[in-house]
Amino acid sequence: MTLLTMQDVEKIADLARLELSEAEKEMYLGQLTAVLEYADRLNELDLDGVPPTAHAISQQNVMRDDVIEPSLPTAAALQNSAWHTDDQFAIQTVL
Amino acid sequence: MDFSTTTLTDLRDGMRAGSVSSVQATQAMLDQIAAVDGDIKSYITVSGEIALQQAAVADQRRADGDDTPLLGVPIAVKDIIAVDGVQMTAGSKILEGFVPPYDAFVVQKLKEAGAVIIGKTNTDEFAMGSSTENSAYFTTRNPHDLSRVPGGSSGGSAAAVAGGMAFGSLGSDTGGSVRQPASFCGVVGLRPTYGRVSRWGVTAFASSLDQVGTFGRTVADTTAVFQTIAGYDRRDSTSLNRPVPNYEAALTGNIKGLRVGVPAEYFVEGMDEEVETAVRTAIAHLEKLGAERVEISLPHTRYALPVYYLIAPAEASANLARYDGIRYGPRRKGENMIDAVKKTRALFGDEVKRRIMLGTYALSAGYYDAYYGRALKARTLIKNDFLTAFEQVDVIATPTAPTTAFKIGAKTDDPLGMYLADVFTLSLNLSASCGLSVPCGTDSDGLPIGLQLIGNTLQEATILNAAYAYEQSLL
């Protein structure tokens, strides 16, 4: 298995939208490496041809009729937002 | 009525007989919380006023001839489950002040059954942990020894029941988060089959593993709460549209001929000797009650922990992407939106960030096949282990946890060591089984030990009755 590097940690943190201090990066580098080394135990298994299990009990194509039903009122949907205006969630500029 | 020793079923009988009211029982719970929860810290939010109003309504309904299954019974709810109008934190600072505008399915069901919701119980942040030490608010203490953890993540719900502060409670179990705290706190905890209970309105952690479970002081109490929340809900697409049996009627105490499997892989070197002795004694006791003991093997058990700690964080990293401060929770300002999201997500605690990092890595380009993909395949082998075993047996009996409750702080610097606390519970979540923990004695320090009984898909009635037979034979 590829060993985790500090660059990996920084890349993962950025993908996950996490801002980490230098001390946190060091801590996670060590801890994630330990967990991934533990996970290398799976290499003992011959998994060729074994189908994956995504859910314990699989149900496919769970559909409902395409009927409009009552949903949360706008005021209730917005009530927990720190910043909203004109019945919409507001955000800072994207760029 | 001495409420500290009264069971849910006794209370229900008392209310039906008119010897006690819901207001009295609810007030007794609030008095007990005032007396002991300053030390135990099982509740994040106590909604006492609302509870007393609900109790008064329940008493009036009873006076009018109503008798719904949990009418007037005070119940606690884990703080990752939405209760309309009551703060829900999920044990995280990123949801501090969040007030859900609706009830979770299970809370709707509790309310329909007439239950009184006492408050919201402590949990590891987003249910990620085995001790409640990852709660952003405080650590719950074990009612049997305040220097020890109650287990987790549903440690608050287990401690509330063990401490006489609720007649039953709801938790959630993604890798053992109902059964392990039940074991540590000396109460009964049930993790139903995936899909048996709707997760609608429950904060998602790992969606292919999450399931709501129930706690009680006795098997009958645990069953009574489970009976009300089991059932189909089309708002959770994993919900199983299957009839709900009468679980309470299934508690006959007769287990003659029940085939009890004992897997060699669950009695490993390094486990606490007192736990092993207590569990083996309990299994021998089941035999005396007429059960047949069968030695079995679950050969892929040693892969369950690494499989779990790839799948659960991967799903968590996707589920927790929604916490960006835009629609709910506190928001931090940044130079632009992405920066604001990053600053807001600094509100996550260490363990949550650790799992998001791990999951993001396991799903990232170049590593998906090596980690997440292999984990999903290995999961198939673990699931098949159980299906094969259930061709030979009706129930599998194991310890719930390798040790009794550990000291607060003992494992906080060792994430992998903490993960091992769930080594006997998490295989079940990877499979299509159900399971429970029932008290089976104490160690030399007086700390509770739990017997885990695992059942095949939707066979909750079988394991509940086996636990009931065991419990009743000890009386």
Side-chain angles (χ1 to χ4, degrees), chain B residues 190-193 196 219 223 226-227 230 243-255 258 394-395 434-436 453-469:
Chain B
L190 170 72
R191 194 277 189 192
T193 307
R196 176 75 291 184
V219 175
T223 307
F226 171 54
Q227 186 79 57
V244 177
N246 188 336
Y247 297 109
E248 296 190 78
L251 303 181
T252 61
N254 179 2
I255 56 165
L258 186 80
D394 305 302
V395 169
C434 55
L436 60 75
L453 296 173
I454 302 172
N456 203 355
T457 308
L458 293 174
Q459 297 305 306
E460 285 84 359
T462 305
I463 54 171
L464 286 166
N465 185 43
Y468 181 75

Side-chain angles (χ1 to χ4, degrees), chain B residues 41-61:
Chain B
K41 300 182 177 180
S42 54
Y43 285 90
I44 292 180
T45 304
V46 178
S47 44
E49 234 173 87
I50 299 173
L52 285 169
Q53 284 168 10
Q54 290 173 342
V57 169
D59 285 334
Q60 185 57 51
R61 278 172 57 183

Side-chain angles (χ1 to χ4, degrees), chain B residues 336-418:
Chain B
N336 53 40
M337 196 196 79
I338 300 288
D339 189 46
V341 168
K342 284 186 176 176
K343 289 200 159 50
T344 299
R345 286 165 68 82
L347 291 164
F348 283 136
D350 281 350
E351 180 64 25
V352 172
K353 286 195 269 191
R354 181 156 39 244
R355 297 206 198 183
I356 291 174
M357 294 281 290
L358 184 58
T360 303
Y361 182 69
L363 291 175
S364 63
Y367 300 101
Y368 180 97
D369 289 340
Y371 290 112
Y372 186 66
R374 285 187 73 79
L376 291 186
K377 289 180 176 182
R379 182 178 183 178
T380 303
L381 302 179
I382 292 162
K383 180 185 169 185
N384 290 346
D385 278 358
F386 281 95
L387 294 176
T388 305
F390 283 120
E391 288 171 9
Q392 304 169 56
V393 299
D394 305 302
V395 169
I396 297 171
T398 78
T400 306
T403 66
T404 52
F406 47 86
K407 291 272 187 187
I408 291 170
K411 295 179 195 276
T412 40
D413 294 330
D414 176 17
L416 198 53
M418 185 74 90

